[in-house]
Amino acid sequence: MKSFYTTLIGSMLISPLCFSAFAQQQLPNADFEGEWVDCKPWTFYASDEEHVGKLSEVVVGANPKGWVISNVAGMASFYEGTPSGLGATQVGDSIEGFNSKYAVKLVNTPNPFMDAQIVPAYLTLGTSWSTANPTFDFSNGFQIIINKSDGGAFGGMSCTDRPTGIEFMYKRSRGEDKPAEKSTVVAYLWKGHWTQKDVPAIVYMAGDPIYDDMVDRDRCILGMDMTGCQGGEVTKTDDAELIAVINAEITEDAGEWTKFSAQFDYKSDATPEMINIVIAAGDYFGGASVVGKDNTLIVDDVKLTYGNTSSSYPGYLNVEMNGVKIADNQPSNIEITPTGDNKCTFLLPNLTLVMGDSPMPLGDIKVEDVTMTEENGVTTYVGEVKNMALMGGTITADVNINGTITASNEVNMKIDVLWMGTPINVTFTSQNSAITSVAVDADAPAEYFNLQGLRVNGGNLTPGIYIKRQGNHTVKVVVK
């Protein structure tokens, strides 16, 4: 006996059906709705060795637990034994989120003690750090000069999965100082460890700094040029290996919530041990000279994506050619496969037009490099392809895609096909225009269609996926 597994699609709305054989790791507190904890910067300037052990007591703002914001604690000052920071700079804070209470707001911010020193704002799964060597110029009054500045992130969190990519929601704006500064997203998976000797961790107002060994510094794992960077020799364990990396940028401002997505570039088939993600308001590896005051990035809902990230949307086709309707509410489906950098591949598989009882198979309508733009929970898709081969290559046509999918998976797509100067207007929606919003008729006859839109015998279904329509009620049926 065949077993049927159905997923109910509510009131004329068909949602994608997803199966997962294994639980997939996700990031901690990735919607930032969980606990926020004190931010205690790893490095800052100390006045004497007596207080080195109290550095972790200096609090600058707060982090969403599991993440670190690049706030800095400035130069150490101790009043009645309580540590504080001269020039402490907070570059991140909580703000209203994407349909939620909290997001992370990152703002490149001047050090209040040295206004010309703009502190870069970024969020990381690892540990943020910064260092510099202050000197004093008395030739023209009293000035503090910052030399040998450096910083970034080290470490990360445990991860033994191989995610496909990452995505998050964001808003973005630029200040007047350096509006051309890009925002950057860096993520990487690795195993083993890199250790850099003698990184200046605590810098005094005078005298030599205190050095520390830094494990799994970002530049070391990524194999970047270390010229001009602070610290000494870099060594690595025998099993140390960079497995995958994302190095992406955001260059356009966004006043409304917009989705960012990018895919990992895998360098190895090995299983990772660790992951780090850095999301920066500015140019993360650009150096101090490119950091723009007030350049801002707001971030929410950071997610790992996995495997074949295609989403399938069953719905209905309507096709007109020369003013004649040749497909009327024909059940079908589309697939959306993100490919990174806010791009995707659009697929209307095995398009078959049914005219009377005669099916006419055209083949796949596949458009690559489709641009995805998300605002306020609605994703807009725009793309085109010239000279697409159809009907096994016997004809070619130009195809344009323009449509939207809402956060609740309501689909409205226009698929305009131009064949030998003749327009073929195709629309795909998740709602059957021939069905009214009356209650489900339990006595209505059930109809079954395959994913190519062809009606099949519901009493003799072979294993596979089908669309069952009964009155105004539609379900996706998996036959095993």
Side-chain angles (χ1 to χ4, degrees):
M1 178 181 293
K2 300 181 179 73
S3 61
F4 290 80
Y5 296 82
T6 62
T7 298
L8 180 63
I9 313 299
S11 185
M12 300 183 294
L13 186 65
I14 303 175
S15 302
L17 190 65
C18 300
F19 296 97
S20 178
F22 304 98
Q24 294 168 335
Q25 182 172 350
Q26 275 301 336
L27 304 172
N29 199 12
D31 59 2
F32 310 128
E33 297 301 301
E35 183 181 4
W36 284 62
V37 297
D38 289 343
C39 177
K40 300 177 180 179
W42 183 72
T43 57
F44 79 95
Y45 303 99
S47 58
D48 57 72
E49 291 191 17
E50 175 187 353
H51 296 102
V52 168
K54 299 182 179 179
L55 294 184
S56 62
E57 297 178 18
V58 176
V59 175
V60 184
N63 299 312
K65 189 173 183 179
W67 298 82
V68 174
I69 297 172
S70 59
N71 299 327
V72 298
M75 293 176 287
S77 173
F78 293 88
Y79 177 72
E80 295 183 353
T82 301
S84 61
L86 277 176
T89 310
Q90 183 173 343
V91 298
D93 203 352
S94 63
I95 193 172
E96 184 178 355
F98 173 63
N99 296 326
S100 63
K101 187 175 181 180
Y102 295 118
V104 174
K105 183 177 183 180
L106 303 167
V107 185
N108 293 346
T109 304
N111 185 315
F113 195 66
M114 294 168 284
D115 190 61
Q117 188 78 13
I118 311 300
V119 179
Y122 54 93
L123 178 72
T124 178
L125 285 174
T127 300
S128 66
W129 70 283
S130 61
T131 189
N133 183 21
T135 58
F136 307 98
D137 182 3
F138 298 98
S139 62
N140 186 22
F142 174 74
Q143 290 183 317
I144 299 177
I145 300 174
I146 298 298
N147 304 297
K148 299 181 180 179
S149 61
D150 199 359
F154 65 93
M157 62 166 277
S158 175
C159 179
T160 56
D161 283 353
R162 290 172 60 92
T164 303
I166 62 173
E167 66 180 33
F168 56 82
M169 303 300 294
Y170 73 92
K171 294 181 180 180
R172 182 180 187 269
S173 62
R174 301 288 90 177
E176 297 180 358
D177 181 21
K178 295 176 182 175
E181 184 189 16
K182 63 186 179 182
S183 301
T184 46
V185 181
V186 180
Y188 45 97
L189 295 152
W190 77 95
K191 68 172 186 173
H193 299 289
W194 287 255
T195 300
Q196 184 177 22
K197 301 288 290 184
D198 299 331
V199 179
I202 303 169
V203 181
Y204 296 111
M205 295 296 293
D208 295 331
I210 291 180
Y211 297 95
D212 197 3
D213 292 349
M214 184 173 289
V215 179
D216 293 337
R217 180 178 177 177
D218 45 16
R219 287 179 175 268
C220 299
I221 296 172
L222 295 171
M224 298 179 67
D225 183 7
M226 302 294 286
T227 302
C229 296
Q230 300 304 300
E233 179 187 9
V234 178
T235 59
K236 62 180 182 180
T237 59
D238 291 341
D239 62 339
E241 184 178 8
L242 173 64
I243 294 172
V245 64
I246 291 172
N247 194 349
E249 60 187 49
I250 304 173
T251 58
E252 299 297 325
D253 287 351
E256 301 296 336
W257 286 107
T258 303
K259 179 178 283 187
F260 169 90
S261 64
Q263 304 294 101
F264 279 106
D265 177 14
Y266 273 87
K267 312 289 186 181
S268 165
D269 293 331
T271 299
E273 295 175 352
M274 300 287 290
I275 185 173
N276 191 23
I277 296 174
V278 179
I279 303 173
D283 186 350
Y284 181 65
F285 287 122
S289 64
V290 306
V291 181
K293 176 184 175 182
D294 295 334
N295 288 347
T296 300
L297 189 69
I298 301 173
V299 181
D300 203 359
D301 289 350
V302 187
K303 300 175 183 176
L304 298 175
T305 57
Y306 282 89
N308 181 355
T309 58
S310 295
S311 294
S312 177
Y313 300 86
Y316 302 91
L317 283 176
N318 284 274
V319 183
E320 287 189 359
M321 182 175 179
N322 287 329
V324 178
K325 181 168 283 192
I326 58 177
D328 187 9
N329 289 314
Q330 177 181 315
S332 186
N333 74 300
I334 62 170
E335 294 179 9
I336 302 292
T337 305
T339 55
D341 298 326
N342 296 320
K343 299 284 187 178
C344 72
T345 296
F346 172 93
L347 177 65
L348 173 58
N350 302 318
L351 175 60
T352 301
L353 303 181
V354 181
M355 293 177 289
D357 293 328
S358 301
M360 183 175 69
L362 295 183
D364 290 346
I365 302 292
K366 184 177 183 180
V367 182
E368 298 178 332
D369 205 33
V370 174
T371 298
M372 300 187 301
T373 304
E374 181 163 343
E375 290 189 8
N376 296 327
V378 178
T379 304
T380 300
Y381 299 82
V382 178
E384 65 176 353
V385 63
K386 300 292 186 182
N387 300 317
M388 177 184 294
L390 298 172
M391 294 188 70
T394 58
I395 65 172
T396 60
D398 298 338
V399 178
N400 283 272
I401 302 295
N402 197 318
T404 60
I405 300 178
T406 70
S408 56
N409 297 319
E410 182 177 350
V411 183
N412 285 283
M413 290 284 176
K414 286 186 62 182
I415 308 156
D416 294 327
V417 180
L418 185 64
W419 171 49
M420 295 183 64
T422 301
I424 304 174
N425 301 317
V426 182
T427 59
F428 177 93
T429 67
S430 57
Q431 179 173 329
N432 184 342
S433 62
I435 296 176
T436 61
S437 57
V438 298
V440 177
D441 183 358
D443 296 326
E447 300 173 285
Y448 292 86
F449 301 84
N450 62 22
L451 294 183
Q452 288 72 53
L454 298 179
R455 190 180 308 220
V456 294
N457 184 353
N460 189 29
L461 298 179
T462 59
I465 299 175
Y466 300 89
I467 298 170
K468 176 186 175 183
R469 184 172 65 189
Q470 187 172 20
N472 74 330
H473 209 179
T474 306
V475 293
K476 206 173 191 183
V477 175
V478 179
V479 179
K480 293 186 176 182

